[in-house]
Amino acid sequence: MIDRQNRYLSRNTLRELIRDNNMLLMVLSRFNIPFGFGDSTVAQVCATHNVDCDTFLAVCNLLSTGEANVEKVRLDSLINYLKKAHTSFLEVTLPRIREHLIEAISYSKADEVSYLLIKFFDDYVEEVKRHMDHENEVIFSYAESLMSGNSDSICNISDFNANHGHMASKLQELKDIFIYHYNHAENARLSVTLFDIIMCEKDMMAHFEVEKRLFIPAVELLERKKGKETLIETDDAAESDLSPVELLGDREKEILSWVAKGKSNKEIASELFISVHTVTTHRRNICAKLDIHSTAGLTIFAIIHNLVKIEEIGSTLK
C-alpha cells in the first residue's frame, strides 16, 4: 500500500503506482515497459525489462509527488525516456489530435475560421518538432558526449536552461478559442478532441518538469564532475582589439584547418573523436566570429592566416 506522504519505492507493486496516478501509464511506454505486469514490484518489472529502477522511480515520484531526486538518476536512461516521449508526441499524440480536429470540424461547420484553426494547430506542431529536434540533435548529444568523456562542445546546459520553455501554452490557447469563441451546434466530437488536447497539455507540462528538474540538474551535476565550466565567456570590448584569427579558440582553429583540407563534418568528428553535432556547432561559431559563411571563404582565410598550407587543401579550391 502506498503512503501518499512518502515517495514511491522499489518494493511497491507497479499496480499500486498506476492506481495512484493513471498518468504514469505514459511513463511505462516511454521506458519500454509493456503491460501485463500483474502484481510484480517496481524492482522486479524494471529488472525484467532492463530499465534503471532509480531513474524510473525518479520520474514517477516527480510526476506524482513533486519530489526531484537527481543523485541516483542514470542520465543515459533518462535521455532514452525523453527521446521516446518526443516520438510519442510527434508520431502518436499530435497526429491523432489533428485527425480528430478535422473530423470534429467537418461535423460542425467548415468555414474559413475552421481552416485557420487547423493551420494554427499545424504551425504549433511544426514548432514542437523544431524544439524537440533541437533537443534530440544538440542538447541530448551534448549530454551523451559528456558521458563519453568529451567535454569540448561549446554547448552549455545553463544557456539551454535559461531559454528552455514548455510547449503547452499554444495548446491552451487553441483549447480556449474553441471553448469560448468557436460557436457551433454539434460539439460531441469536438468535446472529445478538446479532452485529448487537455491531456496532451498536461503531458507536455509533465515532460517539461522532467527536463527542468531531472535532466538539466543531472547534466549540471555531470559537468561539475567533469570540471567543465562555461565554455564561452566573451568580453566584447576586449574582442574588438583582437585580430580575426585571435578570435578563434584552439579547437576552432583545428577544425577550420580540417575544413580547409576538404574534410566533411563526419570526417572531422572521427579525426578529433568528438560528435558530428559538436563539429557542426563549432563551424557555426567560426562562421559567426569571422562573418564568413562559405567553405571556400573559410579555406582562403585559413591559408592567409597560416592555419593550413596551400598544398594541404582539399578539393574546395581546386
Side-chain angles (χ1 to χ4, degrees):
M1 193 72 173
I2 292 175
D3 180 356
R4 285 310 303 264
Q5 301 301 314
N6 297 314
R7 64 185 185 278
Y8 301 144
L9 302 172
S10 61
R11 65 172 178 267
N12 290 128
T13 66
L14 196 49
R15 182 198 295 262
E16 289 176 319
L17 269 66
I18 299 303
R19 283 178 174 173
D20 190 60
N21 182 359
N22 290 334
M23 290 295 290
L24 296 182
L25 286 170
M26 302 301 296
V27 175
L28 296 186
S29 69
R30 292 163 188 176
F31 274 107
N32 289 323
I33 295 176
F35 299 151
F37 40 77
D39 288 316
S40 300
T41 65
V42 172
Q44 290 169 335
V45 172
C46 287
T48 299
H49 299 289
N50 197 29
V51 173
D52 182 68
C53 189
D54 288 330
T55 306
F56 176 77
L57 284 171
V59 172
C60 291
N61 278 308
L62 174 63
L63 299 185
S64 296
T65 70
E67 178 188 274
N69 185 4
V70 180
E71 285 72 18
K72 293 186 178 181
V73 166
R74 237 182 70 178
L75 194 51
D76 58 341
S77 181
L78 186 60
I79 289 173
N80 287 336
Y81 165 85
L82 293 172
K83 286 181 177 178
K84 283 281 289 183
H86 288 177
T87 301
S88 177
F89 283 122
L90 295 173
E91 297 185 6
V92 180
T93 304
L94 293 173
R96 184 186 63 195
I97 290 175
R98 187 184 193 277
E99 180 182 338
H100 291 174
L101 270 177
I102 293 174
E103 183 183 32
I105 287 175
S106 71
Y107 276 88
S108 54
K109 57 180 183 179
D111 55 18
E112 186 176 352
V113 174
S114 301
Y115 293 123
L116 287 175
L117 287 168
I118 294 296
K119 186 178 187 307
F120 180 99
F121 181 77
D122 288 345
D123 290 345
Y124 168 73
V125 172
E126 282 301 310
E127 184 180 342
V128 172
K129 186 177 186 305
R130 287 194 299 271
H131 176 92
M132 292 183 173
D133 284 348
H134 174 73
E135 290 184 352
N136 288 344
E137 297 169 8
V138 178
I139 305 304
F140 296 161
S141 293
Y142 165 66
E144 289 165 344
S145 72
L146 276 179
M147 286 187 287
S148 67
N150 297 323
S151 59
D152 58 351
S153 170
I154 66 171
C155 181
N156 186 280
I157 202 64
S158 297
D159 293 338
F160 170 68
N161 187 23
N163 297 293
H164 182 228
H166 65 76
M167 301 296 294
S169 58
K170 283 194 176 181
L171 275 181
Q172 183 175 5
E173 185 178 346
L174 178 65
K175 176 192 66 181
D176 289 346
I177 288 172
F178 274 114
I179 293 173
Y180 302 116
H181 304 290
Y182 188 73
N183 186 16
H184 56 92
E186 207 288 335
N187 65 4
R189 289 175 176 80
L190 187 54
S191 295
V192 172
T193 304
L194 290 176
F195 181 78
D196 286 342
I197 291 175
I198 291 169
M199 296 306 294
C200 182
E201 181 185 347
K202 289 183 177 180
D203 197 10
M204 284 277 191
M205 292 299 295
H207 179 74
F208 172 77
E209 285 298 302
V210 173
E211 290 183 329
K212 188 80 172 178
R213 302 185 60 195
L214 290 179
F215 171 71
I216 290 174
V219 175
E220 289 174 337
L221 185 62
L222 183 58
E223 284 181 336
R224 289 195 293 271
K225 288 180 179 179
K226 298 287 185 182
K228 182 179 181 297
E229 303 296 337
T230 301
L231 287 168
I232 300 179
E233 296 182 357
T234 60
D235 182 334
D236 292 338
E239 282 191 351
S240 64
D241 296 327
L242 298 177
S243 68
V245 74
E246 289 174 329
L247 291 174
L248 303 179
D250 291 338
R251 176 63 90 183
E252 290 169 335
K253 292 176 185 176
E254 188 176 21
I255 288 176
L256 180 54
S257 71
W258 283 112
V259 171
K261 293 173 185 177
K263 298 292 185 180
S264 67
N265 287 357
K266 185 176 180 180
E267 290 171 327
I268 296 171
S270 178
E271 290 284 350
L272 301 180
F273 301 102
I274 57 179
S275 73
V276 174
H277 298 299
T278 299
V279 175
T280 301
T281 306
H282 275 301
R283 285 190 66 163
R284 186 164 56 244
N285 193 51
I286 292 167
C287 291
K289 285 184 176 182
L290 302 179
D291 198 23
I292 300 173
H293 301 280
S294 69
T295 302
L298 292 174
T299 303
I300 293 170
F301 179 93
I303 294 170
I304 292 173
H305 292 277
N306 299 314
L307 297 179
V308 65
K309 296 179 181 178
I310 195 165
E311 57 265 25
E312 294 179 302
I313 64 171
S315 59
T316 308
L317 298 180
K318 292 180 179 180

